[in-house]
Amino acid sequence: MKIGLAGLPMSGKTSIFNMATRAKAQTRDYLAQTDEINNGVIKVPDSRIDHLTTVFKPKKTTLATVEFTDIPGISNAESKSASKTLANIRICDAIMLVVRLFPSEEIPHIHNRVDPVADLEELCLEFIFSDLEMVTNKIERLNKEMKGVKKPEQVKELELMEILRQKLEDNSFISELELTDEQAH
């Protein structure tokens, strides 16, 4: 399983990454933000596997693993890097959103406030904008492809993309849509 740690810059993502993986990834301030992605893999301890290993004594025991990806901070102030950052999130199986709840004079918040609700709203909007950009690009490609012969599957796909675009333009997540079995596939 691959878990992406996503949040605004200086929210504590790298600290959580370091705690989960026992890594020593460098924490940076907002001004020194880079596109560097930290990856770490941990083995998941399981007493059941340990018991089976002692009973059957296999040549090799393989534990389940979890890969953590510490994704650079997402901020609408950096819209170009935000879309690149969000592309890294798409390859993850799960996303852990990290919002800041600690005040610190040494580590300033990018908006000079501590408001986890506002930070979460900003993150969600960034996800929606990123999805909207992808759907809009897909609609443009489909419209170009359909200038000549319109295949039925392209027409259905375009209809679905228009539904998705409308949902995203309403600042809602695509996951909230109830799709038919045909649309879901």
Side-chain angles (χ1 to χ4, degrees):
M1 172 179 242
K2 187 170 187 172
I3 299 175
L5 301 172
L8 297 178
M10 304 307 296
S11 60
K13 297 176 308 303
T14 303
S15 296
I16 291 173
F17 172 82
N18 285 338
M19 286 186 283
T21 62
R22 295 184 179 158
K24 291 180 175 40
Q26 180 182 357
T27 56
R28 295 179 179 82
D29 63 24
Y30 177 64
L31 297 174
Q33 186 75 17
T34 69
D35 291 337
E36 183 179 322
I37 296 172
N38 297 312
N39 289 303
V41 178
I42 61 168
K43 292 182 180 179
V44 179
D46 189 339
S47 59
R48 299 169 299 171
I49 297 287
D50 296 340
H51 176 72
L52 291 172
T53 299
T54 58
V55 171
F56 294 105
K57 298 184 184 5
K59 292 179 183 178
K60 181 180 178 186
T61 301
T62 305
L63 297 174
T65 60
V66 176
E67 180 178 347
F68 285 92
T69 301
D70 176 19
I71 299 165
I74 300 167
S75 173
N76 60 11
E78 305 173 334
S79 58
K80 289 182 182 179
S81 66
S83 61
K84 183 179 177 183
T85 297
L86 291 168
N88 293 312
I89 291 173
R90 289 188 186 101
I91 60 173
C92 295
D93 299 313
I95 303 168
M96 179 187 298
L97 297 180
V98 179
V99 293
R100 182 173 175 160
L101 188 58
F102 59 91
S104 174
E105 291 181 21
E106 296 171 14
I107 307 169
H109 186 282
I110 63 166
H111 300 307
N112 295 318
R113 61 166 163 67
V114 176
D115 187 348
V117 173
D119 291 353
L120 184 59
E121 288 173 353
E122 182 177 339
L123 286 170
C124 289
L125 279 175
E126 288 298 329
F127 293 140
I128 288 170
F129 292 150
S130 176
D131 288 346
L132 181 58
E133 180 182 2
M134 282 181 41
V135 167
T136 302
N137 290 340
K138 181 68 174 181
I139 289 170
E140 289 173 6
R141 278 195 305 271
L142 283 168
N143 281 327
K144 285 179 186 176
E145 291 172 7
M146 292 173 41
K147 287 205 186 231
V149 178
K150 294 182 181 180
K151 297 178 185 173
E153 60 270 6
Q154 286 177 321
V155 173
K156 288 180 184 177
E157 187 175 8
L158 182 59
E159 289 170 1
L160 175 60
M161 290 296 126
E162 291 293 350
I163 291 169
L164 298 179
R165 177 166 57 182
Q166 184 59 51
K167 186 71 172 176
L168 292 166
E169 287 176 347
D170 292 339
N171 289 336
S172 299
F173 290 112
I174 292 173
S175 60
E176 297 171 357
L177 271 174
E178 291 186 28
L179 301 174
T180 64
D181 288 340
E182 183 181 5
Q183 289 174 326
H185 298 325

